[in-house]
Amino acid sequence: MPAWLTVVGIGDDGFAGLGRPARRALLEASAIYGGERHLSMLPARLAARRAAWPRPFDLAPLLAERGRSVCVLASGDPMLFGVGATLARQLPADELRVLPAPSSLSLAAARLGWPLQEVAVVSLVGRPLPTLNAHLHDGARVFVLSADGGTPAALAALLNARGFGATRMTVLEHLGGDAERRIDGRADQWSARDVAALNLIALECRATDGAPRLPLTCGLPDDAFRHDGQLTKRDVRAITLARLAPAPGELLWDVGAGSGSIGIEWMRAHPACRAIAIEAHAERQRFIEHNRDALGVPGLQLVAGRAPEALDGLPTPDAVFIGGGVTVPGVLDACWASLRDGGRLVANAVTLQGEAALAAWREQHGGTLTRIALADAQPLGGFDTWRQALPITLLDVVKPCGDERAASRPQPERSA
């Protein structure tokens, strides 16, 4: 089917700023869909029927027009956090034509002289404010797509609370339009309240003394998490995450999540990584809710319940970590049965009974067992000595695919 749907990127300069192909598409369309602000930019001479997006947002009326000549209006580049990307997931590529305008990011980079490829981008449109926390690093430059006119003040308050009050903020309103305006200031001195709803915020992050330093590598400091002691400690956590091996778009089950540290660091590895934390303890559930926001991954899903019962109905994971409960009947079996073929299962145990359960599992399903023994130098009288932490037994196993399963099972020993 030839392209019946054209997505037209439109800037704040409206119809006058469109190129010839975009104008022709709008002139020839039988219907034009878009937000009320975008539709109001169109001249009266266009004969097409104008349809504002329904609330709540729904593509069904648009998709029902399939086969007719239809246009959609979107801000700037429709494939950048826009409806064009949403439509591309719904329609074959040959049914869709996209005519982008300069994005707000391109315009902001041009105004500020910032190389766009060196700037992180965070959208707060329909996303929680703590999403920004994962991008707060001293010296980083960040573009923030605002939800509304209240976002800059809320952002300034967040930066102050996180120890980044010295951050330089630039708010750019109505980029590319006649009403374009720039507001500059520091987060700890921010006073601008009358900000247009259509704005983008540019941040030059500056940490103040005492601001938490959160590295990009796995193994965040233990004090980065709120916990009651049920925490996979820093060095063991780094080893565990290396075995879990997160990749973009993959889903992790963090079973017996405690403070949520494994699932949180899994999601910090890449913006597309997803995780579900399963935790039965009410106070630890609150720890997870706090930690996921503080560390910039508010999308971490929390399931309040105890495995294996709480696992029913969850989406198929690419990896599973069992930090607590390896001795609970059915937990290992349920996680293994739910894991996709080729997925990874990693489980840690600190007790003899837990170690025995992992050893028995390895006999049946294969994998590797690793003993992790760490020691820290601590005072002893006027000297220092090594204090051993409890050793950890780590099971790491990959679920075979199809016919590989039979070949992967351990074979009984044969006498000579």
Side-chain angles (χ1 to χ4, degrees), residues 9-35:
I10 189 168
D12 211 56
D13 50 359
F15 189 79
L18 296 178
R20 182 175 296 175
R23 292 189 185 195
R24 179 174 295 277
L26 292 168
L27 285 166
E28 295 176 352
S30 62
I32 303 172
Y33 284 75

Side-chain angles (χ1 to χ4, degrees), residues 264-279:
I264 287 169
E265 292 217 42
W266 168 280
M267 289 185 66
R268 282 174 58 87
H270 190 275
C273 285
R274 300 166 294 137
I276 300 174
I278 298 95
E279 176 55 54

Side-chain angles (χ1 to χ4, degrees), residues 119-273:
V119 185
V121 179
V122 177
S123 174
L124 296 181
V125 180
R127 295 172 176 84
L129 191 65
T131 303
L132 178 67
N133 287 337
H135 300 269
L136 295 182
H137 305 282
D138 191 39
R141 286 175 168 176
V142 185
F143 282 151
V144 181
L145 303 178
S146 285
D148 52 38
T151 301
L155 200 55
L158 179 143
L159 290 165
N160 276 309
R162 297 292 297 173
F164 281 81
T167 294
R168 188 76 180 171
M169 295 177 56
T170 299
V171 175
L172 298 166
E173 301 177 337
H174 292 288
L175 277 163
D178 293 337
E180 182 173 323
R181 183 173 72 136
R182 172 174 173 164
I183 308 170
D184 292 287
R186 276 175 48 131
D188 56 5
Q189 300 169 0
W190 192 258
S191 59
R193 299 292 172 184
D194 184 21
V195 178
L198 187 64
N199 73 84
L200 177 147
I201 308 166
L203 304 177
E204 289 189 277
C205 297
R206 293 289 181 268
T208 53
D209 291 341
R213 183 181 181 278
L214 301 177
L216 296 176
T217 54
C218 59
L220 294 177
D222 292 344
D223 60 10
F225 300 91
R226 186 176 292 179
H227 62 91
D228 60 358
Q230 291 297 314
L231 173 77
T232 303
K233 300 301 190 294
R234 181 180 194 171
D235 297 309
V236 176
R237 192 182 332 121
I239 295 171
T240 299
L241 283 158
R243 301 296 182 90
L244 286 167
E250 289 192 326
L251 172 66
L252 171 76
W253 285 3
D254 185 0
V255 180
S259 66
S261 63
I262 293 291
I264 287 169
E265 292 217 42
W266 168 280
M267 289 185 66
R268 282 174 58 87
H270 190 275
C273 285

Side-chain angles (χ1 to χ4, degrees), residues 298-352:
L300 173 71
Q301 181 182 347
L302 173 61
V303 172
R306 191 179 305 278
E309 295 81 11
L311 307 178
D312 290 345
L314 297 183
T316 300
D318 300 285
V320 175
F321 172 64
I322 307 175
V326 295
T327 59
V328 176
V331 169
L332 277 164
D333 289 332
C335 291
W336 186 251
S338 298
L339 185 65
R340 71 162 175 84
D341 287 358
R344 291 90 63 201
L345 185 146
V346 175
N348 290 355
V350 71
T351 65
L352 290 174

